[in-house]
Amino acid sequence: MLNFSDARIALLAAHRVGNKSKKEANFISQELIQLSEVLEDVMFRFFTKPLKKSYDKYQFTHHAELEHNELYQYCRNIFQDQSNLITESAKILNHLYEQSDHPNIKTGELYVAFFRDIQAEDEMLNGIGIFKTEKRSKFLRINEENNSLGIEAYEGILAEKMDKGCIILNTDEQEGYKIYTYDNNNYDTQYWSSRFLNVVQIADDHFHTKQYVDLCSAFSESVIAPLQDQSKKVDFLSRSSEYFNNHDYFDVDEFATELMPSQQARDQFNDWREDFGLEDIEQFSISKPGFREAKKAFKGLIQLDTEIEIKISLKNPEEKEKYIERGFDAEKGMSFYKVYFNEEF
C-alpha cells in the first residue's frame, strides 16, 4: 500500500491526446506546468486519491525482452535525468496515441508527473505518475452584474475522480519496476493496462490470496454444489471465509484437511489448483485486503429452479446448520428446504 503523506509533485507535464481512428491530432506542450502551491495541492489529490487503497502491484513486460517495452524505456530515461520529463512525456503521449485507434476511446488530457518521497512498504521512493482525464462536466459561475446576479455555464474537468492513472516506482528496475494502476472507465479493458502500459501483475502474497479465494468460489460452484447440494456449497464458502479471516498464513495441506475431510475431495481440489496455475503455491502470508476484495465472489445463495432463492450469511456456519434442513417430498416428487426461525424482520 502506498503512503503519500510526505510526497509531493516536483515536475508536471500536460498534453492532449487525440483519437487516431478519428484522425484527431495530439497537442504537445513545449514547457512544464508552473505549479503554484494551490494548484499542486489540487493536482496532487486528484492524481493520488484512487491510488491510496491500491494493493495490486504490476511490472512492465514484453513478449520478447523487457527492453522493448516503450514505457519502460521512457520511464528509465526520466528516472536517470528528470530534465528529460518534457521530451519523454511527449514520447509517452505519442505511444498512447498509437493505442487510441478505437472509435470509443476518448480524447483527453495526458499528465506526466514526477513525484518525490512516496512511501511503499518500507521504502521511500521517487515515482512517475501517468494520468488521463476524459470526462467533462458542466459548471455554473455566478457573477454580480449591475446589481443583479448573472449565471454563466461552462464545461471543464471535475477534479474529484481521475479516469485513468498509474504510478511507476523507482525500484526493481531490472524486473520492470513496481507499478500501481487503475482505470475507472472500462470501455476497453485492454486499452490502458495491456496495450498502453503492457504490464503483468506481480505474483506476491496479495495476488496469491486473491487467486485462492477465486479458486474456492469456482470449486464450490462447479464441484461441491453439483455433487452434493447448494447448502454444502454455502457451508464450504463459510468455512473458507473463516479460514482466511482467522489465519495469518495459508498452508494448502492444512486448509484442505480442515475443509475437505475426504481424500476424493482433496484430490479434486488439487486438480483445480493446477487449472488455476497454483500447483506450486502451497504456502504464503494471507493478505487481508486481498481477501476482503476477492471474497465479494463468495455468494451465500441457494438458487432453486422454482425461482426461489435462499440467502445465507457466511458467518458462523456451524450455527446455521441447526436452522436449515434439506429433504425430499415423495408425494410431490420434489426436494425441499425447511428453515427454522423465531421471528421475521
Side-chain angles (χ1 to χ4, degrees):
M1 185 174 178
L2 299 176
N3 184 335
F4 292 99
S5 58
D6 295 320
R8 65 183 182 89
I9 301 174
L11 303 167
L12 176 63
H15 309 284
R16 183 177 298 119
V17 60
N19 183 296
K20 184 179 180 181
S21 69
K22 297 178 182 178
K23 296 183 171 55
E24 297 170 339
N26 291 335
F27 180 88
I28 303 177
S29 297
Q30 302 303 311
E31 296 180 358
L32 296 174
I33 299 293
Q34 298 301 308
L35 288 168
S36 65
E37 186 176 338
V38 173
L39 180 58
E40 182 188 353
D41 181 61
V42 171
M43 299 305 291
F44 182 86
R45 286 185 284 111
F46 191 26
F47 292 153
T48 61
K49 184 178 178 180
L51 290 162
K52 288 182 178 179
K53 295 184 179 180
S54 296
Y55 292 90
D56 294 333
K57 295 187 282 291
Y58 297 81
Q59 59 192 19
F60 288 126
T61 187
H62 195 276
H63 67 274
E65 291 183 7
L66 180 60
E67 300 288 331
H68 296 307
N69 184 303
E70 291 92 337
L71 279 187
Y72 173 76
Q73 292 285 4
Y74 304 150
C75 289
R76 186 165 63 176
N77 291 341
I78 295 171
F79 281 131
Q80 289 173 350
D81 184 352
Q82 285 85 70
S83 66
N84 290 325
L85 184 73
I86 191 68
T87 56
E88 296 300 315
S89 67
K91 295 177 185 177
I92 293 171
L93 172 74
N94 290 327
H95 176 61
L96 180 61
Y97 182 77
E98 290 302 315
Q99 318 312 314
S100 305
D101 54 2
H102 191 283
N104 289 341
I105 295 175
K106 298 175 177 61
T107 298
E109 290 72 37
L110 179 74
Y111 310 88
V112 181
F114 188 82
F115 289 83
R116 297 195 188 280
D117 300 330
I118 300 172
Q119 185 176 345
E121 297 168 352
D122 296 327
E123 292 185 281
M124 193 67 78
L125 301 165
N126 293 334
I128 297 167
I130 304 173
F131 309 93
K132 185 188 178 190
T133 49
E134 299 173 336
K135 292 182 179 179
R136 297 293 183 270
S137 299
K138 298 291 184 182
F139 296 90
L140 298 177
R141 177 182 292 156
I142 312 298
N143 300 313
E144 292 185 19
E145 299 175 352
N146 301 323
N147 299 320
S148 298
L149 291 181
I151 301 176
E152 180 182 359
Y154 65 101
E155 189 177 73
I157 299 169
L158 184 64
E160 292 292 331
K161 187 176 182 180
M162 179 65 68
D163 293 298
K164 293 173 170 60
C166 69
I167 287 279
I168 300 100
L169 298 175
N170 192 16
T171 185
D172 301 334
E173 177 186 328
Q174 299 304 314
E175 288 74 43
Y177 295 114
K178 189 177 291 182
I179 302 167
Y180 294 79
T181 184
Y182 61 88
D183 184 352
N184 289 318
N185 296 338
N186 289 310
Y187 51 78
D188 183 345
T189 56
Q190 300 299 311
Y191 165 59
W192 183 256
S193 62
S194 297
R195 294 166 55 196
F196 172 57
L197 297 177
N198 194 4
V199 293
V200 292
Q201 192 165 351
I202 296 173
D204 56 6
D205 292 337
H206 181 77
F207 180 66
H208 296 320
T209 299
K210 292 174 64 175
Q211 280 190 309
Y212 262 98
V213 173
D214 289 342
L215 167 59
C216 290
S217 179
F219 185 75
S220 70
E221 290 283 353
S222 300
V223 178
I224 295 178
L227 294 180
Q228 299 182 52
D229 62 64
Q230 292 205 46
S231 65
K232 298 300 182 185
K233 175 199 78 171
V234 175
D235 176 68
F236 175 78
L237 291 178
S238 298
R239 295 176 189 279
S240 298
S241 181
E242 208 170 58
Y243 183 93
F244 281 97
N245 269 325
N246 297 335
H247 291 73
D248 294 324
Y249 197 73
F250 182 90
D251 182 281
V252 70
D253 291 333
E254 178 187 65
F255 177 82
T257 301
E258 286 188 20
L259 274 74
M260 291 162 277
S262 75
Q263 185 61 49
Q264 180 185 6
R266 291 196 290 272
D267 290 342
Q268 289 175 309
F269 187 74
N270 284 328
D271 290 340
W272 276 72
R273 285 177 57 218
E274 291 186 21
D275 293 340
F276 273 68
L278 294 169
E279 63 271 21
D280 295 326
I281 310 302
E282 298 182 347
Q283 297 175 327
F284 56 88
S285 295
I286 293 174
S287 165
K288 301 303 181 182
F291 170 63
R292 288 194 296 270
E293 182 182 341
K295 77 169 182 178
K296 296 172 185 176
F298 283 9
K299 300 187 185 298
L301 200 65
I302 298 176
Q303 296 175 300
L304 308 176
D305 58 3
T306 53
E307 298 186 4
I308 293 174
E309 296 180 341
I310 304 173
K311 186 177 181 180
I312 303 175
S313 170
L314 296 179
K315 296 179 181 178
N316 304 319
E318 298 89 349
E319 188 70 16
K320 287 185 206 45
E321 285 184 357
K322 299 186 296 187
Y323 305 130
I324 186 167
E325 294 179 6
R326 190 177 194 273
F328 183 80
D329 188 314
E331 184 177 338
K332 290 188 175 182
M334 298 175 71
S335 299
F336 66 83
Y337 280 101
K338 184 185 291 185
V339 180
Y340 295 92
F341 64 95
N342 292 312
E343 58 181 302
E344 294 178 293
F345 293 104

